[in-house]
Amino acid sequence: NAGVMQNPRHLVRRRGQEARLRCSPMKGHSHVYWYRQLPEEGLKFMVYLQKENIIDESGMPKERFSAEFPKEGPSILRIQQVVRGDSAAYFCASSATGEGAFFGQGTRLTVV
Amino acid sequence: GNSVTQMEGPVTLSEEAFLTINCTYTATGYPSLFWYVQYPGEGLQLLLKATKADDKGSNKGFEATYRKETTSFHLEKGSVQVSDSAVYFCALSDQGNFNKFYFGSGTKLNVKP
């Protein structure tokens, strides 16, 4: 059983472009969580999704950021019109129930 | 609100030294407490956890005890190895909201041979 798969591992975008980060949860997991890690900081919760539903998006910036977890396919974190301050590592975690999350290796976004 | 404070790093130790990384928390209710480890270029791995007061979590020689009276969850290991070099994160989650974690800022541990 493969772990939580995130791609790409590294992503470079110019200011104003869009960034799409993908997360394939572990097999059988229907709960997905996204976290952001700014340089030299801990991870900050962004959003919690179940299949086709956003459960808790209290950590998502109000503008430019969106997340989805469709019935089929990976969860997507989308950042529109990226700015330098969006440069960070974005981690996805998944679980089968509401506890016991496994983290992916992260996507490191660099905005130039 | 919920928050976690842990000692700043980096912490540099010689192999076989004793390790303590301090962690204190602020939370409403009865949170669960965790230590995660992040090796270079990797994601986070759960190291240990405790779900109620006075519980002791342990794994790979690491231990931490949930102290409600001091709101602490300090990480300890009796004899560190070079392979323990990593960043360690203390975290909490609300009762009933298990995977919405509040992380500390991390403590980098360097173990020298």
Side-chain angles (χ1 to χ4, degrees):
Chain A
N1 188 5
V4 178
M5 304 301 292
Q6 290 189 247
N7 65 81
R9 291 291 306 277
H10 301 275
L11 181 61
V12 179
R13 284 287 177 266
R14 296 185 186 280
R15 281 178 293 171
Q17 290 185 319
E18 178 180 288
R20 292 172 70 88
L21 288 62
R22 295 175 185 76
C23 170
S24 295
M26 290 179 68
K27 187 176 181 180
H29 286 193
S30 60
H31 302 246
V32 166
Y33 311 80
W34 286 94
Y35 286 80
R36 177 166 64 175
Q37 183 181 28
L38 294 171
E40 307 299 323
E41 293 188 14
L43 281 72
K44 298 285 196 293
F45 169 80
M46 298 182 75
V47 62
Y48 165 30
L49 310 104
Q50 292 184 25
K51 285 286 187 181
E52 301 183 277
N53 289 304
I54 296 174
I55 307 302
D56 181 345
E57 56 181 348
S58 57
M60 286 277 273
K62 294 289 184 281
E63 298 179 350
R64 301 189 297 107
F65 285 72
S66 62
E68 64 177 8
F69 187 19
K71 187 176 180 181
E72 300 290 338
S75 175
I76 305 288
L77 180 67
R78 183 182 179 205
I79 311 171
Q80 296 179 290
Q81 300 175 321
V82 295
V83 300
R84 288 237 170 95
D86 297 332
S87 295
Y90 292 82
F91 288 94
C92 170
S94 75
S95 70
T97 62
E99 58 179 312
F102 292 82
F103 282 81
Q105 293 182 304
T107 293
R108 281 156 180 82
L109 172 65
T110 302
V111 179
V112 297
Chain B
N2 296 326
S3 67
V4 174
T5 302
Q6 59 183 106
M7 62 188 287
E8 289 190 19
V11 173
T12 301
L13 296 173
S14 297
E15 206 165 21
E16 299 185 3
F18 184 85
L19 168 71
T20 299
I21 301 178
N22 290 336
C23 171
T24 57
Y25 67 90
T26 302
T28 54
Y30 302 95
S32 295
L33 302 174
F34 305 81
W35 277 100
Y36 277 85
V37 58
Q38 185 180 32
Y39 297 102
E42 301 291 325
L44 274 70
Q45 300 175 26
L46 177 64
L47 182 60
L48 53 85
K49 68 178 182 181
T51 57
K52 60 182 187 296
D54 299 326
D55 267 4
K56 178 185 283 188
S58 61
N59 185 26
K60 299 180 181 179
F62 291 89
E63 291 184 343
T65 301
Y66 189 142
R67 301 285 188 201
K68 190 169 176 61
E69 64 277 12
T70 54
T71 62
S72 65
F73 193 55
H74 305 321
L75 182 68
E76 296 182 336
K77 186 175 185 182
S79 176
V80 294
Q81 306 300 313
V82 172
S83 57
D84 294 326
S85 298
V87 181
Y88 292 81
F89 291 95
C90 185
L92 70 81
S93 68
D94 280 333
Q95 187 180 26
N97 205 356
F98 301 105
N99 289 322
K100 184 177 181 180
F101 296 106
Y102 297 84
F103 283 92
S105 57
T107 302
K108 186 172 184 179
L109 171 65
N110 296 316
V111 180
K112 297 187 173 182

